[in-house]
Amino acid sequence: MLLINRPLVQFGLALLTVLALPLFLRSGILASEVLIYALIAAACNLLLGYTGLLSFGQGIFFGLGSYVAGIFLTRYGVPVWLVLIMATLLGAAVATLVGWLSIRRQGVYFVMLTLAFSQLFYFLAYTFSDLTGGDNGLMDVPRPDLGAGPMNDAWTFYIFVAVSFLVLFAVMLQATQSTFGRTLIAVRDNEERAAAIGFPVKAFKTAAFAISGAVTAYGGALKAMLIGVAPLANIEHHTSEMILIMTIIGGSTSLFASVIGAAAYMILADVLSQIWPRWLLLLGLALVCIALFLQKGLWGLIEKLWVMIFQKHQNPAKKEAEH
């Protein structure tokens, strides 16, 4: 294992990212969005990179989390900490159901099932407009109030998001390094062999779905508090596509790769949108280049550079040791 892929180094890089964003970004909202989507992309990576499941259903859990925040904060005045717990539990419960049903099929049929569930939940949210606000979404979602007043300042809220990001990133990092995480990799590499050994493959896949859904719903609640709106767009299948794109841009070989992917997508989108109104065309060209020349994502490029630099210094030492 390369040094940069070790758990402590990965967490150190995540901490460095949290500290660096305020130095390079002027907008506290953009900095918070980067961390929120980094957390969600890492949760998606738990399915794609570690379990080998290409899911188009992540937008379901993201949207549910934002709706929980919107409904219970604006209509019932439930404390923020309880709302976040409720969003996390609902995300885990729905992800368990979606995952349990979807993993009954493999390959393209699995992908189609997750996409079908995404469309189903979108139309449910659109239909029950009295609850979700329909096209308008839920407005005036307040930011957390931890006793010192609402976090109206964007950089103050960034601190809250950063702490949440680091805690959940550490939890997922620990999960990937545990027996559970190594079993997921075994299932990804050879599902038939893992089942033959005696691993309950479906149970592990469902558990991965539950963890991913819980973290994604938590991120959805944070996003609703950040922008003050829980829009219908959060639960669209386009949101699932965006989360997958972030994960693929970064690479699926490590959790921190997802952080890089989310940061690259959000910052690039922000810069390009200021250059040209049709910035999505430029973003599409960038994605084509990544797909053609960086099939392991940006993190794969970093790994190659790491090997080139350090092998260049280590190889002469090894040769001298051999002589």
Side-chain angles (χ1 to χ4, degrees):
M1 178 186 290
L2 294 177
L3 178 63
I4 54 175
N5 285 328
R6 293 180 180 176
L8 286 178
V9 176
Q10 292 267 302
F11 183 78
L13 291 171
L15 178 59
L16 184 62
T17 301
V18 167
L19 297 176
L21 284 177
L23 300 177
F24 294 97
L25 297 180
R26 295 181 179 180
S27 171
I29 292 179
L30 178 59
S32 296
E33 281 187 320
V34 168
L35 292 187
I36 290 171
Y37 281 109
L39 187 63
I40 294 168
C44 180
N45 200 1
L46 190 65
L47 289 178
L48 179 62
Y50 287 86
T51 319
L53 297 174
L54 179 63
S55 171
F56 277 89
Q58 297 304 103
I60 298 172
F61 321 126
F62 185 73
L64 287 176
S66 64
Y67 280 136
V68 169
I71 292 170
F72 287 96
L73 288 176
T74 60
R75 299 179 182 177
Y76 302 105
V78 178
V80 170
W81 63 269
L82 184 56
V83 167
L84 290 172
I85 292 175
M86 292 167 62
T88 303
L89 292 178
L90 180 62
V94 174
T96 299
L97 177 61
V98 171
W100 181 73
L101 292 172
S102 298
I103 62 173
R104 295 174 176 274
R105 293 295 180 264
Q106 295 181 346
V108 66
Y109 298 104
F110 167 82
V111 176
M112 292 301 294
L113 276 172
T114 59
L115 184 59
F117 276 116
S118 180
Q119 288 294 91
L120 170 65
F121 276 89
Y122 168 77
F123 283 111
L124 285 175
Y126 180 80
T127 301
F128 294 98
S129 57
D130 291 341
L131 181 65
T132 64
D135 281 331
N136 296 324
L138 298 172
M139 311 296 289
D140 300 322
V141 181
R143 289 184 181 172
D145 183 352
L146 302 181
M151 298 181 178
N152 293 324
D153 180 67
W155 287 112
T156 303
F157 186 70
Y158 173 80
I159 297 174
F160 181 78
V161 172
V163 172
S164 299
F165 166 75
L166 289 174
V167 171
L168 290 176
F169 185 82
V171 171
M172 285 191 291
L173 195 61
Q174 184 62 32
T176 59
Q177 298 301 313
S178 66
T179 303
F180 171 77
R182 298 184 187 280
T183 305
L184 291 181
I185 295 175
V187 172
R188 178 201 67 190
D189 292 341
N190 196 322
E191 183 175 337
E192 293 181 357
R193 180 176 295 178
I197 293 174
F199 289 120
V201 172
K202 290 184 178 180
F204 274 94
K205 286 183 176 182
T206 305
F209 251 101
I211 296 173
S212 181
V215 175
T216 304
Y218 187 96
L222 289 180
K223 178 66 184 295
M225 297 179 200
L226 174 66
I227 63 176
V229 182
L232 182 64
N234 280 358
I235 205 168
E236 284 184 338
H237 69 275
H238 296 296
T239 301
S240 299
E241 294 172 3
M242 181 178 67
I243 295 170
L244 274 174
I245 288 172
M246 291 178 183
T247 308
I248 294 170
I249 288 175
S252 57
T253 56
S254 72
L255 282 185
F256 186 73
S258 303
V259 178
I260 293 179
Y265 183 96
M266 296 302 299
I267 295 174
L268 189 62
D270 182 70
V271 172
L272 293 179
S273 64
Q274 298 178 25
I275 298 174
W276 192 27
R278 300 186 179 183
W279 61 273
L280 281 173
L281 177 61
L282 299 177
L283 182 62
L285 291 175
L287 294 178
V288 169
C289 292
I290 291 174
L292 289 175
F293 305 109
L294 296 173
Q295 294 183 358
K296 291 187 177 180
L298 296 176
W299 187 252
L301 177 61
I302 293 173
E303 287 180 330
K304 287 182 180 179
L305 293 174
W306 179 274
V307 171
M308 289 173 59
I309 294 172
F310 285 91
Q311 278 190 346
K312 183 177 180 181
H313 295 287
Q314 291 177 357
N315 284 343
K318 288 183 178 179
K319 290 180 180 179
E320 289 179 6
E322 290 176 359
H323 291 295

